[in-house]
Amino acid sequence: MSVLSRLSRWWKGLTATAGPRHDPEATDEFATLSSLTLLPGRLRLRVGVVSVRGNYREHNEDNFYVPGKRSVRHDSFGDIGGGGFGEGEGGAMTLDPSNLFIVADGMGGQQAGEQASLMAVELIPRELAKRLPPDQSEPRRVQEAIREAVAEVNQEILGSSGTITEFSNMGTTVVLAQFRPDKVYVAGIGDSRAYRLREGRLEQLTKDHSLADALVEAGTITREELPTHKFKNVLYLYLGSKDARSGPEDFRVMDVHVGDRFLMASDGLTGVVTDDDIAKILGSVDDPHQAAVQLKNLALDNDSKDNITCLIVHVVSDGLPAGKS
């Protein structure tokens, strides 16, 4: 079957099952989830996520994935907010054991960016599930599985971009966190970021693949010039580019501790909210959904001109909230 035929069948399947679209003027917030996981010592993950169009964009080209829920486009993902899961309630829900979380920020004209980020959150979990080793103790094999899965999806996006006029030149950033029983694997392509807060210390786990960041690394400009540089939002690496054909360049592989708090976000948030404010809210708000809402509101107050997606994961003990980090 040709690439075009496969994509056409896949796209028809999505549009047939995605459900009604929300009012385009509305913003979407999703309630906290509580997840029973396979982490050691009966650790659990609690998850909160918010994705909004923002004040300036006509469409939300961000998409995200949390396990156990079909990863549909953001504006038909509202079933998480129903069924008794009100904002901030943190109702219990068993998620699948993949413990994979993704944020993707699409780019391209018309609906191309939205399509690229949707493909990322739909296809990466599927491709990764095919490749993850059953042996939980081989970090190198897990990294290779992630790299191969993302590389495969990069080729899918490139193929779609080259065969369907409406999707030409589309691309997306992607940042993911794969939790395994003893570790978490974090990787990113583009400028969506992942952070970890541990014992009050905030650490950025991914690097931005923008031309301005490359100039900083080369010593051509200073880090102080970076926030306002004209190439700050020009990416040299993203999903849907030939340079991403080998998947993520860098991985962070870390042990998981009770009290760890992880943030994954598009640059609509991280471009306007300081690390100090991120650390303050992550450390002081014990409900991950409420923390995501507060960070989103701060980004809007700081005049973010992009879509905003914020996904927060708390590592807790036996389903009970961890103490403040």
Side-chain angles (χ1 to χ4, degrees):
M1 184 181 294
S2 68
V3 172
L4 182 58
S5 298
R6 286 190 292 110
L7 180 68
S8 177
R9 178 176 295 184
W10 177 76
W11 178 247
K12 287 179 181 177
L14 279 183
T15 55
T17 60
R21 297 176 63 89
H22 291 180
D23 182 341
E25 296 302 315
T27 58
D28 300 309
E29 298 178 1
F30 308 103
T32 300
L33 306 180
S34 184
S35 166
L36 178 65
T37 75
L38 303 179
L39 298 176
R42 301 186 67 185
L43 298 184
R44 298 178 185 234
L45 305 179
R46 299 184 67 231
V47 186
V49 58
V50 172
S51 184
V52 297
R53 176 173 54 83
N55 294 327
Y56 293 89
R57 296 297 182 93
E58 294 183 0
H59 304 284
N60 190 348
E61 296 187 335
D62 291 358
N63 270 290
F64 59 86
Y65 174 83
V66 294
K69 281 289 179 180
R70 183 175 179 274
S71 49
V72 298
R73 65 179 72 238
H74 57 271
D75 57 6
S76 58
F77 204 67
D79 60 333
I80 280 186
F85 295 100
E87 181 174 315
E89 290 179 1
M93 174 178 274
T94 300
L95 306 185
D96 72 36
S98 70
N99 293 326
L100 171 68
F101 302 91
I102 304 172
V103 168
D105 178 359
M107 62 194 80
Q110 300 297 322
Q111 293 184 342
E114 186 175 3
Q115 171 65 11
S117 66
L118 177 61
M119 289 180 72
V121 301
E122 279 284 345
L123 299 180
I124 290 175
R126 186 188 74 186
E127 294 299 324
L128 185 54
K130 294 177 184 178
R131 295 170 170 84
L132 277 177
D135 186 346
Q136 307 281 356
S137 63
E138 296 192 33
R140 189 175 298 277
R141 289 184 62 194
V142 175
Q143 292 178 64
E144 191 60 30
I146 294 171
R147 183 175 285 111
E148 290 178 0
V150 174
E152 175 65 25
V153 176
N154 185 67
Q155 288 304 115
E156 293 277 357
I157 294 174
L158 277 172
S160 303
S161 179
T163 55
I164 298 181
T165 302
E166 292 87 344
F167 300 153
S168 63
N169 298 317
M170 70 177 177
T172 183
T173 71
V174 64
V175 59
L176 64 86
Q178 172 68 66
F179 288 84
R180 300 286 273 181
D182 57 344
K183 299 182 186 301
V184 60
Y185 299 77
V186 177
I189 294 179
D191 60 359
S192 292
R193 295 179 183 174
Y195 293 83
R196 181 188 67 184
L197 184 74
R198 173 177 286 179
E199 297 179 351
R201 178 175 177 266
L202 185 71
E203 180 181 5
Q204 184 175 328
L205 304 177
T206 54
K207 62 183 265 186
D208 293 352
H209 298 117
S210 75
L211 290 181
D213 284 271
L215 292 175
V216 171
E217 288 189 8
T220 305
I221 66 173
T222 67
R223 188 154 296 279
E224 288 69 31
E225 295 176 276
L226 180 62
T228 58
H229 197 275
K230 62 181 179 180
F231 292 150
K232 178 68 178 71
N233 297 313
V234 179
L235 301 182
Y236 67 86
L237 190 66
Y238 55 90
L239 219 57
S241 64
K242 293 181 180 178
D243 290 334
R245 59 185 175 272
S246 298
E249 293 180 337
D250 304 305
F251 283 86
R252 293 294 302 274
V253 183
M254 297 161 287
D255 294 335
V256 178
H257 295 174
V258 172
D260 286 350
R261 296 181 176 186
F262 293 87
L263 165 68
M264 302 164 63
S266 59
D267 70 329
L269 175 80
T270 60
V272 297
V273 178
T274 66
D275 285 3
D276 286 345
D277 284 333
I278 289 173
K280 179 179 179 181
I281 291 173
L282 274 185
S284 62
V285 181
D286 290 334
D287 182 324
H289 176 67
Q290 290 300 323
V293 170
Q294 289 192 29
L295 284 169
K296 177 266 299 181
N297 289 340
L298 183 57
L300 292 174
D301 290 344
N302 289 350
D303 200 33
S304 174
K305 293 179 170 57
D306 206 344
N307 310 139
I308 301 166
T309 297
C310 177
L311 193 161
I312 295 175
V313 180
H314 287 184
V315 181
V316 298
S317 177
D318 199 26
L320 301 175
K324 294 180 181 179
S325 299

